[in-house]
Amino acid sequence: MRHPGRMGIFFTGAAAVAALYALSAIRLPGPEDVRGEYMRIINGECVTFRHVTDAVTAVNFDFRGFDTLGEEFILFVSVMGTLVLLRQTDAKPGAWAPDALSPGRAVGASDALRVWILAMTGPTVLFGIYTVIHGQLTPGGGFQGGVILATAPLLLYLAESFDVFRRITSHRYLEIVEAVGAGAYGVIGLLALFRGREFMANIFHLGKGGNDINLFSGGTIPVINAAVGIEVTAGFVLLLYAFLQEMLERKEAGS
Amino acid sequence: MIYFYAAMAVAAWLFLVGVYGIVTSRNLIHLCLCLVVVQASTYVLLTAVGYRPGGIAPIFADVKQTDKAVDPVIQALMLTDIVVEATVVALLLALTVQIKKKTGTLNPDKVNLMRG
Amino acid sequence: MIGMQLAILAIVAAAGGAVVFTRKPGEQVVGASFFGLMLALMFFIFQAPDVALSQLVIGAVALPLMVLLAIAKTRSTQMRQDHEREQPRKPEREHGRHGPDEGRFSPPDEERPPADVRQPPGRPREAR
C-alpha cells in the first residue's frame, strides 16, 4: 500500500464503528417488541380510505408523498448532472466505429436472433406500461415500470443500430418529457392548495363506495404514479443515451 | 429473531467491506461499485427492521386485509432509494469518465485535479 | 422460512465481499450483477415484492450496463492517450491535442505531459 497511514486510520475507524454498532444492535428491541402503530394504521387505511391495495405505493405517493417528491428531484438532478458531464460537443456520426454502432451485426448474430430481439421489444414496452399503471394495485409502479420501459430502446440498439436508437429516442423531446414528468408531481401537490388543503393532499375522486378498487381509484395516487413513470422512463433513456453516445464517440486515427 | 441479528451482522459486514474497498481502491470504477455494496448494507438493515416474523407482503390485492403484514413505510423508503442510487452512481461514473479524459488515469491516488 | 432467510443473507454477504475483492472492473461487473440479483431475491424472501422488482431492474440490468459503458469509454480514452503519447511532440499539435471540448478547461500554453501513467522513462513524475 502506498499510504500505510491510511490503512491505520481505516482499521481504527472500522473497529470503532463495528464495536459501537454491535453495542447498539444488542440493545435494540426485537421485532416482536415493536408495536408499529404507524405501520398498522397505514396497512388498514390504504384499502379503506385510499382505495388502493398496494400499501407501499400508497405510502410513496400519498402518505409520504412529500418525501418521494424530494427523491424524485434527486433523480432529476442526477440525470441532469450526468448529461452535463457527458455532453458531446464534437460528435460526428459519420466517424463512429462501425462495430459499436451495430453490435448485433458486429458479433455475427444471426438474423433469427436479431428478429427475436426486435420481437421482444413490443412485449417489453407492454410489460413496462402494465407495471406502471398497475402500481397501486399490485407490486410495481412508476419507478420500476419506468426502468423496464427504458430498456426497450436498448433492445433496438442491440438488434439494429445506434441510429435506430437515436431516431426512436429523440434527445430534445425526451428532456422536455422528463421535465414535464418531474414538474407534474409538484403541480399535483400544489393543486391541493387551491382547494384549501395542505400540500400533497389527496384531492381527487377516490372511488365510489367502500370497496371500489380499480385502475383509476385512489385519487392522486395513479396520477402521480404515471407522472413518476414518465419521468423515470425519460431519465433512464437519457442516461443510456448519454453513456452510449459517449462510448461511440469518434475514434482517433490509428486506434 | 435469529434472522434479525443475522441481517444486522450482514449489514455491518457489507458496510465495512465496502468502505475497505473504497479505501484501498486503485480504480475509480471499482470504487463506484464498492459504493453500491455500502448502499446495499442499508437495504439489508432496513429489510430486517421492516420485517415481521410470519408477516405477509403489504399488498392486499389477492388477500384480505390483515394485521399480519410487514411494514410498508420502510419498503417505500428502500424502493425510491434504489432508483435514486442508480442515478447517483451514473453521475459518479460520468465524473469518472471525465477524470479519465482530463488526467489520463483512473487511480484515485494518482489523480491530481488541481493540476488541471 | 427461517432457513431460507439465513441462506439468502449468507449468499448476499458472500456476493458483496466478492464484488469488493474483485479488483478488475470488467470482472467485477459480473459479480455486481449477481449481487443485485441476490439482493432482489432477499427482498422477495423478506416479503417486499415492490422493492424486489425495483432492485431487479436496477441492480441486475441498469447499473451493470452503465458500468460496462463507462469501462468501454475509459478504455477507448486510454487507447487515444497512448496513441498521442507515441506521436512526436510538435508545437502546433499542443493546442488541438485534447479535442475542442477539453481545450477550454486547460491553459493553452501548457507544458504538462498528457498523462501520469506509463510515462516515457526519461521523465519520471517526481522530477517535476
Side-chain angles (χ1 to χ4, degrees), chain A residues 54 56 89-90 131 139-140 144 147-148 154 236 240 243 246-247 249 252-253, chain C residues 49-50 53-54 57-58 61-62 65-66 69-70 72-73 79-80 83 100-101:
Chain A
D54 188 342
V56 180
T89 50
D90 57 342
T131 312
Q144 300 96 321
V147 186
I148 296 174
L154 206 65
F236 268 87
L240 294 176
F243 273 102
E246 181 74 4
M247 188 188 77
E249 188 193 35
E252 302 277 312
Chain C
D50 267 299
L53 197 54
S54 184
V57 287
I58 293 285
V61 180
L65 186 75
M66 287 188 292
L69 292 175
K73 175 58 197 166
M79 278 160 69
R80 201 183 64 196
H83 174 68
D101 60 333

PDB file of all heavy atoms in Angstrom, chain A residues 54 56 89-90 131 139-140 144 147-148 154 236 240 243 246-247 249 252-253, chain C residues 49-50 53-54 57-58 61-62 65-66 69-70 72-73 79-80 83 100-101:
ATOM      1  N   ASP A  54     -52.010  -1.676  -2.847  1.00  0.00           N
ATOM      2  CA  ASP A  54     -50.578  -1.775  -2.598  1.00  0.00           C
ATOM      3  C   ASP A  54     -50.188  -0.703  -1.579  1.00  0.00           C
ATOM      4  O   ASP A  54     -50.099   0.479  -1.905  1.00  0.00           O
ATOM      5  CB  ASP A  54     -49.812  -1.593  -3.912  1.00  0.00           C
ATOM      6  CG  ASP A  54     -48.329  -1.883  -3.737  1.00  0.00           C
ATOM      7  OD1 ASP A  54     -47.873  -1.882  -2.584  1.00  0.00           O
ATOM      8  OD2 ASP A  54     -47.650  -2.112  -4.737  1.00  0.00           O
ATOM      9  N   VAL A  56     -47.396  -0.072  -0.235  1.00  0.00           N
ATOM     10  CA  VAL A  56     -46.115   0.586  -0.483  1.00  0.00           C
ATOM     11  C   VAL A  56     -46.304   1.781  -1.411  1.00  0.00           C
ATOM     12  O   VAL A  56     -45.776   2.869  -1.181  1.00  0.00           O
ATOM     13  CB  VAL A  56     -45.111  -0.425  -1.061  1.00  0.00           C
ATOM     14  CG1 VAL A  56     -43.794   0.242  -1.324  1.00  0.00           C
ATOM     15  CG2 VAL A  56     -44.932  -1.585  -0.117  1.00  0.00           C
ATOM     16  N   THR A  89     -19.683  17.792 -27.605  1.00  0.00           N
ATOM     17  CA  THR A  89     -19.614  18.992 -28.425  1.00  0.00           C
ATOM     18  C   THR A  89     -19.026  18.702 -29.793  1.00  0.00           C
ATOM     19  O   THR A  89     -19.144  19.507 -30.698  1.00  0.00           O
ATOM     20  CB  THR A  89     -18.741  20.050 -27.732  1.00  0.00           C
ATOM     21  OG1 THR A  89     -17.522  19.429 -27.356  1.00  0.00           O
ATOM     22  CG2 THR A  89     -19.442  20.623 -26.533  1.00  0.00           C
ATOM     23  N   ASP A  90     -18.400  17.545 -29.938  1.00  0.00           N
ATOM     24  CA  ASP A  90     -17.725  17.276 -31.205  1.00  0.00           C
ATOM     25  C   ASP A  90     -18.127  15.927 -31.789  1.00  0.00           C
ATOM     26  O   ASP A  90     -17.334  15.262 -32.426  1.00  0.00           O
ATOM     27  CB  ASP A  90     -16.209  17.302 -31.006  1.00  0.00           C
ATOM     28  CG  ASP A  90     -15.788  16.310 -29.944  1.00  0.00           C
ATOM     29  OD1 ASP A  90     -16.659  15.897 -29.172  1.00  0.00           O
ATOM     30  OD2 ASP A  90     -14.607  15.949 -29.902  1.00  0.00           O
ATOM     31  N   THR A 131     -46.719  -2.545 -15.688  1.00  0.00           N
ATOM     32  CA  THR A 131     -46.139  -2.381 -14.352  1.00  0.00           C
ATOM     33  C   THR A 131     -46.407  -0.980 -13.815  1.00  0.00           C
ATOM     34  O   THR A 131     -46.672  -0.802 -12.629  1.00  0.00           O
ATOM     35  CB  THR A 131     -44.633  -2.651 -14.396  1.00  0.00           C
ATOM     36  OG1 THR A 131     -44.413  -3.857 -15.105  1.00  0.00           O
ATOM     37  CG2 THR A 131     -44.048  -2.772 -13.019  1.00  0.00           C
ATOM     38  N   PRO A 139     -47.623  -5.280  -6.972  1.00  0.00           N
ATOM     39  CA  PRO A 139     -46.246  -4.786  -6.919  1.00  0.00           C
ATOM     40  C   PRO A 139     -45.831  -4.151  -8.234  1.00  0.00           C
ATOM     41  O   PRO A 139     -46.094  -4.693  -9.300  1.00  0.00           O
ATOM     42  CB  PRO A 139     -45.440  -6.058  -6.640  1.00  0.00           C
ATOM     43  CG  PRO A 139     -46.373  -6.931  -5.934  1.00  0.00           C
ATOM     44  CD  PRO A 139     -47.731  -6.632  -6.462  1.00  0.00           C
ATOM     45  N   GLY A 140     -45.205  -3.019  -8.132  1.00  0.00           N
ATOM     46  CA  GLY A 140     -44.829  -2.285  -9.332  1.00  0.00           C
ATOM     47  C   GLY A 140     -45.055  -0.807  -9.092  1.00  0.00           C
ATOM     48  O   GLY A 140     -45.225  -0.383  -7.962  1.00  0.00           O
ATOM     49  N   GLN A 144     -40.381   1.282 -10.919  1.00  0.00           N
ATOM     50  CA  GLN A 144     -39.951   0.019 -11.514  1.00  0.00           C
ATOM     51  C   GLN A 144     -40.314  -0.043 -12.988  1.00  0.00           C
ATOM     52  O   GLN A 144     -39.497  -0.406 -13.839  1.00  0.00           O
ATOM     53  CB  GLN A 144     -40.605  -1.158 -10.779  1.00  0.00           C
ATOM     54  CG  GLN A 144     -40.266  -1.236  -9.320  1.00  0.00           C
ATOM     55  CD  GLN A 144     -41.321  -0.591  -8.448  1.00  0.00           C
ATOM     56  OE1 GLN A 144     -41.883   0.440  -8.798  1.00  0.00           O
ATOM     57  NE2 GLN A 144     -41.582  -1.187  -7.308  1.00  0.00           N
ATOM     58  N   VAL A 147     -38.079   1.984 -15.378  1.00  0.00           N
ATOM     59  CA  VAL A 147     -36.795   1.399 -15.781  1.00  0.00           C
ATOM     60  C   VAL A 147     -37.007   0.301 -16.807  1.00  0.00           C
ATOM     61  O   VAL A 147     -36.229   0.156 -17.758  1.00  0.00           O
ATOM     62  CB  VAL A 147     -36.030   0.884 -14.551  1.00  0.00           C
ATOM     63  CG1 VAL A 147     -34.659   0.419 -14.956  1.00  0.00           C
ATOM     64  CG2 VAL A 147     -35.903   1.972 -13.516  1.00  0.00           C
ATOM     65  N   ILE A 148     -38.099  -0.493 -16.634  1.00  0.00           N
ATOM     66  CA  ILE A 148     -38.384  -1.541 -17.621  1.00  0.00           C
ATOM     67  C   ILE A 148     -38.630  -0.904 -18.990  1.00  0.00           C
ATOM     68  O   ILE A 148     -38.110  -1.358 -20.009  1.00  0.00           O
ATOM     69  CB  ILE A 148     -39.601  -2.376 -17.175  1.00  0.00           C
ATOM     70  CG1 ILE A 148     -39.278  -3.114 -15.879  1.00  0.00           C
ATOM     71  CG2 ILE A 148     -39.991  -3.359 -18.250  1.00  0.00           C
ATOM     72  CD1 ILE A 148     -40.453  -3.845 -15.306  1.00  0.00           C
ATOM     73  N   LEU A 154     -33.149  -0.052 -25.777  1.00  0.00           N
ATOM     74  CA  LEU A 154     -31.847  -0.706 -25.773  1.00  0.00           C
ATOM     75  C   LEU A 154     -31.876  -1.987 -26.612  1.00  0.00           C
ATOM     76  O   LEU A 154     -30.886  -2.330 -27.278  1.00  0.00           O
ATOM     77  CB  LEU A 154     -31.478  -1.031 -24.329  1.00  0.00           C
ATOM     78  CG  LEU A 154     -30.012  -1.139 -24.043  1.00  0.00           C
ATOM     79  CD1 LEU A 154     -29.373   0.211 -24.247  1.00  0.00           C
ATOM     80  CD2 LEU A 154     -29.807  -1.617 -22.648  1.00  0.00           C
ATOM     81  N   PHE A 236     -33.992   7.545 -17.519  1.00  0.00           N
ATOM     82  CA  PHE A 236     -33.079   6.433 -17.760  1.00  0.00           C
ATOM     83  C   PHE A 236     -32.730   6.302 -19.231  1.00  0.00           C
ATOM     84  O   PHE A 236     -31.598   5.939 -19.574  1.00  0.00           O
ATOM     85  CB  PHE A 236     -33.662   5.132 -17.206  1.00  0.00           C
ATOM     86  CG  PHE A 236     -33.228   4.866 -15.807  1.00  0.00           C
ATOM     87  CD1 PHE A 236     -33.934   5.378 -14.740  1.00  0.00           C
ATOM     88  CD2 PHE A 236     -32.088   4.144 -15.545  1.00  0.00           C
ATOM     89  CE1 PHE A 236     -33.519   5.174 -13.449  1.00  0.00           C
ATOM     90  CE2 PHE A 236     -31.665   3.926 -14.256  1.00  0.00           C
ATOM     91  CZ  PHE A 236     -32.388   4.439 -13.206  1.00  0.00           C
ATOM     92  N   LEU A 240     -28.919   6.257 -20.603  1.00  0.00           N
ATOM     93  CA  LEU A 240     -28.357   5.254 -21.512  1.00  0.00           C
ATOM     94  C   LEU A 240     -27.881   5.913 -22.794  1.00  0.00           C
ATOM     95  O   LEU A 240     -26.825   5.585 -23.329  1.00  0.00           O
ATOM     96  CB  LEU A 240     -29.420   4.186 -21.819  1.00  0.00           C
ATOM     97  CG  LEU A 240     -29.845   3.337 -20.635  1.00  0.00           C
ATOM     98  CD1 LEU A 240     -30.957   2.396 -21.027  1.00  0.00           C
ATOM     99  CD2 LEU A 240     -28.666   2.544 -20.117  1.00  0.00           C
ATOM    100  N   PHE A 243     -24.521   7.664 -22.125  1.00  0.00           N
ATOM    101  CA  PHE A 243     -23.390   6.755 -22.000  1.00  0.00           C
ATOM    102  C   PHE A 243     -23.072   6.086 -23.331  1.00  0.00           C
ATOM    103  O   PHE A 243     -21.907   5.925 -23.694  1.00  0.00           O
ATOM    104  CB  PHE A 243     -23.676   5.694 -20.932  1.00  0.00           C
ATOM    105  CG  PHE A 243     -23.297   6.141 -19.554  1.00  0.00           C
ATOM    106  CD1 PHE A 243     -24.259   6.565 -18.664  1.00  0.00           C
ATOM    107  CD2 PHE A 243     -21.986   6.139 -19.145  1.00  0.00           C
ATOM    108  CE1 PHE A 243     -23.922   6.992 -17.400  1.00  0.00           C
ATOM    109  CE2 PHE A 243     -21.633   6.554 -17.886  1.00  0.00           C
ATOM    110  CZ  PHE A 243     -22.602   6.980 -17.014  1.00  0.00           C
ATOM    111  N   GLU A 246     -21.394   8.567 -25.556  1.00  0.00           N
ATOM    112  CA  GLU A 246     -20.025   8.807 -25.079  1.00  0.00           C
ATOM    113  C   GLU A 246     -19.102   7.673 -25.517  1.00  0.00           C
ATOM    114  O   GLU A 246     -17.980   7.897 -25.956  1.00  0.00           O
ATOM    115  CB  GLU A 246     -20.050   8.933 -23.559  1.00  0.00           C
ATOM    116  CG  GLU A 246     -18.726   9.198 -22.919  1.00  0.00           C
ATOM    117  CD  GLU A 246     -18.260  10.625 -23.142  1.00  0.00           C
ATOM    118  OE1 GLU A 246     -19.005  11.420 -23.728  1.00  0.00           O
ATOM    119  OE2 GLU A 246     -17.134  10.918 -22.752  1.00  0.00           O
ATOM    120  N   MET A 247     -19.609   6.432 -25.422  1.00  0.00           N
ATOM    121  CA  MET A 247     -18.785   5.292 -25.800  1.00  0.00           C
ATOM    122  C   MET A 247     -18.509   5.298 -27.300  1.00  0.00           C
ATOM    123  O   MET A 247     -17.439   4.899 -27.745  1.00  0.00           O
ATOM    124  CB  MET A 247     -19.484   4.002 -25.402  1.00  0.00           C
ATOM    125  CG  MET A 247     -18.629   2.780 -25.579  1.00  0.00           C
ATOM    126  SD  MET A 247     -19.555   1.295 -25.327  1.00  0.00           S
ATOM    127  CE  MET A 247     -20.442   1.166 -26.846  1.00  0.00           C
ATOM    128  N   GLU A 249     -18.173   7.745 -29.226  1.00  0.00           N
ATOM    129  CA  GLU A 249     -17.505   8.955 -29.684  1.00  0.00           C
ATOM    130  C   GLU A 249     -16.474   8.589 -30.742  1.00  0.00           C
ATOM    131  O   GLU A 249     -15.858   7.546 -30.700  1.00  0.00           O
ATOM    132  CB  GLU A 249     -16.814   9.595 -28.477  1.00  0.00           C
ATOM    133  CG  GLU A 249     -16.235  10.927 -28.728  1.00  0.00           C
ATOM    134  CD  GLU A 249     -15.320  11.313 -27.575  1.00  0.00           C
ATOM    135  OE1 GLU A 249     -14.676  10.413 -27.024  1.00  0.00           O
ATOM    136  OE2 GLU A 249     -15.287  12.484 -27.227  1.00  0.00           O
ATOM    137  N   GLU A 252     -10.015   8.266 -32.637  1.00  0.00           N
ATOM    138  CA  GLU A 252      -8.899   8.969 -33.270  1.00  0.00           C
ATOM    139  C   GLU A 252      -8.210   8.044 -34.261  1.00  0.00           C
ATOM    140  O   GLU A 252      -8.301   6.827 -34.178  1.00  0.00           O
ATOM    141  CB  GLU A 252      -7.894   9.407 -32.197  1.00  0.00           C
ATOM    142  CG  GLU A 252      -8.487  10.283 -31.141  1.00  0.00           C
ATOM    143  CD  GLU A 252      -8.562  11.733 -31.571  1.00  0.00           C
ATOM    144  OE1 GLU A 252      -7.555  12.234 -32.074  1.00  0.00           O
ATOM    145  OE2 GLU A 252      -9.623  12.341 -31.393  1.00  0.00           O
ATOM    146  N   ALA A 253      -7.489   8.634 -35.171  1.00  0.00           N
ATOM    147  CA  ALA A 253      -6.801   7.836 -36.180  1.00  0.00           C
ATOM    148  C   ALA A 253      -5.778   6.933 -35.512  1.00  0.00           C
ATOM    149  O   ALA A 253      -5.084   7.334 -34.589  1.00  0.00           O
ATOM    150  CB  ALA A 253      -6.105   8.765 -37.168  1.00  0.00           C
TER     151      ALA A 253
ATOM    152  N   PRO C  49     -42.058  -7.459  -2.318  1.00  0.00           N
ATOM    153  CA  PRO C  49     -42.016  -7.668  -3.773  1.00  0.00           C
ATOM    154  C   PRO C  49     -41.820  -6.372  -4.559  1.00  0.00           C
ATOM    155  O   PRO C  49     -41.172  -6.380  -5.608  1.00  0.00           O
ATOM    156  CB  PRO C  49     -43.377  -8.294  -4.078  1.00  0.00           C
ATOM    157  CG  PRO C  49     -44.234  -7.924  -2.935  1.00  0.00           C
ATOM    158  CD  PRO C  49     -43.354  -7.824  -1.750  1.00  0.00           C
ATOM    159  N   ASP C  50     -42.339  -5.259  -4.025  1.00  0.00           N
ATOM    160  CA  ASP C  50     -42.146  -3.978  -4.704  1.00  0.00           C
ATOM    161  C   ASP C  50     -40.671  -3.648  -4.821  1.00  0.00           C
ATOM    162  O   ASP C  50     -40.169  -3.288  -5.890  1.00  0.00           O
ATOM    163  CB  ASP C  50     -42.838  -2.871  -3.902  1.00  0.00           C
ATOM    164  CG  ASP C  50     -44.243  -2.631  -4.382  1.00  0.00           C
ATOM    165  OD1 ASP C  50     -44.380  -2.267  -5.548  1.00  0.00           O
ATOM    166  OD2 ASP C  50     -45.165  -2.802  -3.588  1.00  0.00           O
ATOM    167  N   LEU C  53     -38.727  -5.960  -7.220  1.00  0.00           N
ATOM    168  CA  LEU C  53     -38.875  -5.600  -8.637  1.00  0.00           C
ATOM    169  C   LEU C  53     -37.962  -4.426  -8.985  1.00  0.00           C
ATOM    170  O   LEU C  53     -37.281  -4.416 -10.013  1.00  0.00           O
ATOM    171  CB  LEU C  53     -40.335  -5.242  -8.895  1.00  0.00           C
ATOM    172  CG  LEU C  53     -40.811  -5.218 -10.333  1.00  0.00           C
ATOM    173  CD1 LEU C  53     -40.498  -6.532 -10.992  1.00  0.00           C
ATOM    174  CD2 LEU C  53     -42.298  -4.968 -10.366  1.00  0.00           C
ATOM    175  N   SER C  54     -37.955  -3.444  -8.085  1.00  0.00           N
ATOM    176  CA  SER C  54     -37.109  -2.272  -8.300  1.00  0.00           C
ATOM    177  C   SER C  54     -35.638  -2.674  -8.365  1.00  0.00           C
ATOM    178  O   SER C  54     -34.898  -2.278  -9.273  1.00  0.00           O
ATOM    179  CB  SER C  54     -37.365  -1.291  -7.153  1.00  0.00           C
ATOM    180  OG  SER C  54     -36.660  -0.117  -7.340  1.00  0.00           O
ATOM    181  N   VAL C  57     -34.612  -4.660 -11.691  1.00  0.00           N
ATOM    182  CA  VAL C  57     -34.340  -3.921 -12.926  1.00  0.00           C
ATOM    183  C   VAL C  57     -33.137  -3.006 -12.763  1.00  0.00           C
ATOM    184  O   VAL C  57     -32.386  -2.784 -13.710  1.00  0.00           O
ATOM    185  CB  VAL C  57     -35.584  -3.114 -13.378  1.00  0.00           C
ATOM    186  CG1 VAL C  57     -36.621  -4.035 -13.930  1.00  0.00           C
ATOM    187  CG2 VAL C  57     -36.138  -2.268 -12.283  1.00  0.00           C
ATOM    188  N   ILE C  58     -32.919  -2.472 -11.572  1.00  0.00           N
ATOM    189  CA  ILE C  58     -31.789  -1.561 -11.375  1.00  0.00           C
ATOM    190  C   ILE C  58     -30.492  -2.347 -11.221  1.00  0.00           C
ATOM    191  O   ILE C  58     -29.536  -2.152 -11.963  1.00  0.00           O
ATOM    192  CB  ILE C  58     -32.010  -0.695 -10.119  1.00  0.00           C
ATOM    193  CG1 ILE C  58     -33.177   0.247 -10.335  1.00  0.00           C
ATOM    194  CG2 ILE C  58     -30.759   0.066  -9.773  1.00  0.00           C
ATOM    195  CD1 ILE C  58     -32.870   1.393 -11.223  1.00  0.00           C
ATOM    196  N   VAL C  61     -29.738  -5.042 -14.200  1.00  0.00           N
ATOM    197  CA  VAL C  61     -29.751  -4.610 -15.603  1.00  0.00           C
ATOM    198  C   VAL C  61     -29.129  -3.230 -15.770  1.00  0.00           C
ATOM    199  O   VAL C  61     -28.086  -3.065 -16.409  1.00  0.00           O
ATOM    200  CB  VAL C  61     -31.203  -4.607 -16.162  1.00  0.00           C
ATOM    201  CG1 VAL C  61     -31.180  -4.172 -17.605  1.00  0.00           C
ATOM    202  CG2 VAL C  61     -31.819  -5.974 -16.018  1.00  0.00           C
ATOM    203  N   ALA C  62     -29.735  -2.211 -15.168  1.00  0.00           N
ATOM    204  CA  ALA C  62     -29.368  -0.831 -15.488  1.00  0.00           C
ATOM    205  C   ALA C  62     -27.964  -0.490 -15.003  1.00  0.00           C
ATOM    206  O   ALA C  62     -27.156   0.070 -15.746  1.00  0.00           O
ATOM    207  CB  ALA C  62     -30.390   0.124 -14.883  1.00  0.00           C
ATOM    208  N   LEU C  65     -25.021  -2.248 -16.810  1.00  0.00           N
ATOM    209  CA  LEU C  65     -24.933  -1.731 -18.176  1.00  0.00           C
ATOM    210  C   LEU C  65     -24.176  -0.408 -18.203  1.00  0.00           C
ATOM    211  O   LEU C  65     -23.271  -0.194 -19.016  1.00  0.00           O
ATOM    212  CB  LEU C  65     -26.342  -1.546 -18.729  1.00  0.00           C
ATOM    213  CG  LEU C  65     -26.377  -1.142 -20.186  1.00  0.00           C
ATOM    214  CD1 LEU C  65     -26.056  -2.333 -21.037  1.00  0.00           C
ATOM    215  CD2 LEU C  65     -27.701  -0.561 -20.546  1.00  0.00           C
ATOM    216  N   MET C  66     -24.534   0.481 -17.275  1.00  0.00           N
ATOM    217  CA  MET C  66     -23.866   1.783 -17.264  1.00  0.00           C
ATOM    218  C   MET C  66     -22.385   1.632 -16.908  1.00  0.00           C
ATOM    219  O   MET C  66     -21.534   2.323 -17.460  1.00  0.00           O
ATOM    220  CB  MET C  66     -24.567   2.720 -16.285  1.00  0.00           C
ATOM    221  CG  MET C  66     -25.896   3.198 -16.825  1.00  0.00           C
ATOM    222  SD  MET C  66     -26.668   4.456 -15.840  1.00  0.00           S
ATOM    223  CE  MET C  66     -27.074   3.584 -14.369  1.00  0.00           C
ATOM    224  N   LEU C  69     -20.558   0.431 -19.990  1.00  0.00           N
ATOM    225  CA  LEU C  69     -20.358   1.510 -20.958  1.00  0.00           C
ATOM    226  C   LEU C  69     -19.252   2.452 -20.491  1.00  0.00           C
ATOM    227  O   LEU C  69     -18.441   2.920 -21.291  1.00  0.00           O
ATOM    228  CB  LEU C  69     -21.660   2.272 -21.174  1.00  0.00           C
ATOM    229  CG  LEU C  69     -22.760   1.487 -21.892  1.00  0.00           C
ATOM    230  CD1 LEU C  69     -24.035   2.294 -21.953  1.00  0.00           C
ATOM    231  CD2 LEU C  69     -22.316   1.143 -23.291  1.00  0.00           C
ATOM    232  N   ALA C  70     -19.204   2.723 -19.175  1.00  0.00           N
ATOM    233  CA  ALA C  70     -18.139   3.588 -18.660  1.00  0.00           C
ATOM    234  C   ALA C  70     -16.778   2.928 -18.848  1.00  0.00           C
ATOM    235  O   ALA C  70     -15.794   3.588 -19.198  1.00  0.00           O
ATOM    236  CB  ALA C  70     -18.387   3.894 -17.186  1.00  0.00           C
ATOM    237  N   ALA C  72     -15.968   0.768 -21.207  1.00  0.00           N
ATOM    238  CA  ALA C  72     -15.638   0.850 -22.632  1.00  0.00           C
ATOM    239  C   ALA C  72     -15.127   2.234 -22.979  1.00  0.00           C
ATOM    240  O   ALA C  72     -14.161   2.397 -23.732  1.00  0.00           O
ATOM    241  CB  ALA C  72     -16.876   0.514 -23.461  1.00  0.00           C
ATOM    242  N   LYS C  73     -15.745   3.245 -22.381  1.00  0.00           N
ATOM    243  CA  LYS C  73     -15.341   4.611 -22.696  1.00  0.00           C
ATOM    244  C   LYS C  73     -13.935   4.909 -22.181  1.00  0.00           C
ATOM    245  O   LYS C  73     -13.100   5.471 -22.897  1.00  0.00           O
ATOM    246  CB  LYS C  73     -16.345   5.589 -22.070  1.00  0.00           C
ATOM    247  CG  LYS C  73     -15.978   7.035 -22.224  1.00  0.00           C
ATOM    248  CD  LYS C  73     -15.839   7.389 -23.682  1.00  0.00           C
ATOM    249  CE  LYS C  73     -15.081   8.684 -23.837  1.00  0.00           C
ATOM    250  NZ  LYS C  73     -14.641   8.886 -25.208  1.00  0.00           N
ATOM    251  N   MET C  79      -6.719   4.249 -25.063  1.00  0.00           N
ATOM    252  CA  MET C  79      -6.102   3.973 -26.354  1.00  0.00           C
ATOM    253  C   MET C  79      -5.724   5.269 -27.058  1.00  0.00           C
ATOM    254  O   MET C  79      -4.642   5.378 -27.645  1.00  0.00           O
ATOM    255  CB  MET C  79      -7.066   3.168 -27.231  1.00  0.00           C
ATOM    256  CG  MET C  79      -7.048   1.687 -26.931  1.00  0.00           C
ATOM    257  SD  MET C  79      -8.531   0.874 -27.506  1.00  0.00           S
ATOM    258  CE  MET C  79      -8.317   0.991 -29.268  1.00  0.00           C
ATOM    259  N   ARG C  80      -6.611   6.244 -26.968  1.00  0.00           N
ATOM    260  CA  ARG C  80      -6.335   7.514 -27.633  1.00  0.00           C
ATOM    261  C   ARG C  80      -5.126   8.198 -27.001  1.00  0.00           C
ATOM    262  O   ARG C  80      -4.263   8.734 -27.682  1.00  0.00           O
ATOM    263  CB  ARG C  80      -7.567   8.414 -27.512  1.00  0.00           C
ATOM    264  CG  ARG C  80      -7.612   9.496 -28.543  1.00  0.00           C
ATOM    265  CD  ARG C  80      -8.800  10.379 -28.300  1.00  0.00           C
ATOM    266  NE  ARG C  80      -8.679  11.070 -27.034  1.00  0.00           N
ATOM    267  CZ  ARG C  80      -9.682  11.668 -26.415  1.00  0.00           C
ATOM    268  NH1 ARG C  80     -10.875  11.625 -26.932  1.00  0.00           N
ATOM    269  NH2 ARG C  80      -9.501  12.296 -25.289  1.00  0.00           N
ATOM    270  N   HIS C  83      -1.945   6.551 -27.928  1.00  0.00           N
ATOM    271  CA  HIS C  83      -1.611   6.899 -29.304  1.00  0.00           C
ATOM    272  C   HIS C  83      -0.973   8.280 -29.368  1.00  0.00           C
ATOM    273  O   HIS C  83       0.020   8.486 -30.060  1.00  0.00           O
ATOM    274  CB  HIS C  83      -2.880   6.861 -30.146  1.00  0.00           C
ATOM    275  CG  HIS C  83      -2.689   7.341 -31.530  1.00  0.00           C
ATOM    276  ND1 HIS C  83      -1.932   6.657 -32.446  1.00  0.00           N
ATOM    277  CD2 HIS C  83      -3.118   8.452 -32.161  1.00  0.00           C
ATOM    278  CE1 HIS C  83      -1.917   7.318 -33.578  1.00  0.00           C
ATOM    279  NE2 HIS C  83      -2.625   8.412 -33.442  1.00  0.00           N
ATOM    280  N   PRO C 100     -11.594  19.737 -29.093  1.00  0.00           N
ATOM    281  CA  PRO C 100     -12.100  21.093 -28.857  1.00  0.00           C
ATOM    282  C   PRO C 100     -12.786  21.256 -27.508  1.00  0.00           C
ATOM    283  O   PRO C 100     -12.752  22.339 -26.939  1.00  0.00           O
ATOM    284  CB  PRO C 100     -13.079  21.308 -30.007  1.00  0.00           C
ATOM    285  CG  PRO C 100     -13.367  19.954 -30.541  1.00  0.00           C
ATOM    286  CD  PRO C 100     -12.184  19.110 -30.274  1.00  0.00           C
ATOM    287  N   ASP C 101     -13.382  20.206 -26.988  1.00  0.00           N
ATOM    288  CA  ASP C 101     -14.161  20.417 -25.765  1.00  0.00           C
ATOM    289  C   ASP C 101     -13.275  20.461 -24.534  1.00  0.00           C
ATOM    290  O   ASP C 101     -13.705  20.885 -23.474  1.00  0.00           O
ATOM    291  CB  ASP C 101     -15.205  19.304 -25.606  1.00  0.00           C
ATOM    292  CG  ASP C 101     -14.569  17.959 -25.519  1.00  0.00           C
ATOM    293  OD1 ASP C 101     -13.464  17.786 -26.069  1.00  0.00           O
ATOM    294  OD2 ASP C 101     -15.158  17.072 -24.906  1.00  0.00           O
TER     295      ASP C 101
END
